[in-house]
Amino acid sequence: MSLSSVLKQRRKELGLTLLEIAEKMGVSEATVQRWESGGIKTLRQGRIAQLAEILNVSPAKLMGWEDNDSKPPIPSNAIPYEPPKHIAPILGCVRAGVGGLAVQEITGYDELPECYVDDGEDYFWLTVEGDSMEPKLEPGDRVLVRSQPSVDSGDVAVVIIDGEEGVVKKVRYGPDWIELISFNRYYPPRRFEGEDVLKINVVGRVMQSKHTW
């Protein structure tokens, strides 16, 4: 079976709409329609793993490779694809909620590095928006965040400012103040002093980042 056939069959079996698949994948409904209609024959490895996870099938099943007769020839220099063993959700945004963090939208899943799997902590990926953290972090990059209510001075963290949407900033502490620092020199540090420090709520520490195209 082809990608389009497996996608259409499993989507109907699971009772999912094209829009629901699109929202989980973080793409447009029209893109999923093209996948299902056969307009796109293959996907990037990350997309294959993400869509297979949503449809609850193996990547090989999704791409129609389990049947040896239909499996395409593999180039001699090809690197075998191994689906990720552990994943963490990709959040479209994070906000303050009742009693803590409110997850507004899970746009997909990405691999959780092996070194973080057994430490008992919670992790999520967050997509960077805006240019305030350039050149180290560009719009569209992903940061892996370990959920924790505090970080050390100098750490890069996701923080919620005054109950609004979370942002990625370098955090620096003083005797009675907190500064949120952007990597982009055109954005001056934001300092919160006195009672205003209570407006800052740490969501988690940024552990690593990855550039996406």
Side-chain angles (χ1 to χ4, degrees), residues 2 5 15 17 26 36 52 86 94 109 111 113 117 120 129-131 137 139 142 150 155 167 170 191 200:
S2 63
S5 299
T17 65
E36 191 168 293
H86 305 281
V94 292
Y109 296 86
E111 183 174 6
V117 170
E129 296 182 355
D131 63 354
L137 297 174
R142 291 178 189 154
S150 63
D155 284 345
V167 296
K170 182 177 180 179
R191 177 173 288 201
I200 305 302

Side-chain angles (χ1 to χ4, degrees), residues 138-174:
E138 298 181 3
D141 286 355
R142 291 178 189 154
V143 290
L144 180 64
V145 183
R146 182 174 66 197
S147 298
Q148 57 187 73
S150 63
V151 293
D152 294 333
S153 185
D155 284 345
V156 177
V158 175
V159 300
I160 292 174
I161 304 173
D162 202 17
E164 297 299 324
E165 187 171 341
V167 296
V168 179
K169 298 293 177 188
K170 182 177 180 179
V171 180
R172 186 167 63 186
Y173 300 114

Side-chain angles (χ1 to χ4, degrees), residues 17-125:
T17 65
L18 292 171
L19 179 59
E20 287 172 330
I21 295 289
E23 290 176 342
K24 292 176 182 290
M25 291 291 296
V27 299
S28 68
E29 185 177 1
T31 296
V32 180
Q33 176 64 56
R34 287 197 297 272
W35 294 345
E36 191 168 293
S37 65
I40 298 177
K41 302 298 183 181
T42 188
L43 301 175
R44 293 178 299 171
Q45 291 184 356
R47 290 290 194 202
I48 294 172
Q50 186 180 353
L51 186 56
E53 178 75 16
I54 293 169
L55 298 176
N56 195 26
V57 296
S58 68
K61 174 74 172 179
L62 174 64
M63 300 306 295
W65 296 340
E66 288 193 343
D67 182 354
N68 289 333
D69 292 336
S70 62
K71 186 174 181 179
I74 300 177
S76 60
N77 62 343
I79 301 175
Y81 169 70
E82 291 292 338
K85 296 180 180 179
H86 305 281
I87 57 176
I90 303 170
L91 305 189
C93 63
V94 292
R95 297 182 186 274
V98 177
L101 177 66
V103 177
Q104 297 296 310
E105 180 185 16
I106 296 178
T107 62
Y109 296 86
D110 203 344
E111 183 174 6
L112 177 64
E114 194 73 28
C115 59
Y116 301 122
V117 170
D118 297 322
D119 64 4
E121 303 293 341
D122 293 325
Y123 292 88
F124 63 88
W125 290 95

Side-chain angles (χ1 to χ4, degrees), residues 171-187:
V171 180
R172 186 167 63 186
Y173 300 114
D176 61 349
W177 52 265
I178 296 176
E179 277 189 344
L180 302 181
I181 302 170
S182 300
F183 292 147
N184 190 330
R185 62 187 180 89
Y186 291 104
Y187 291 84

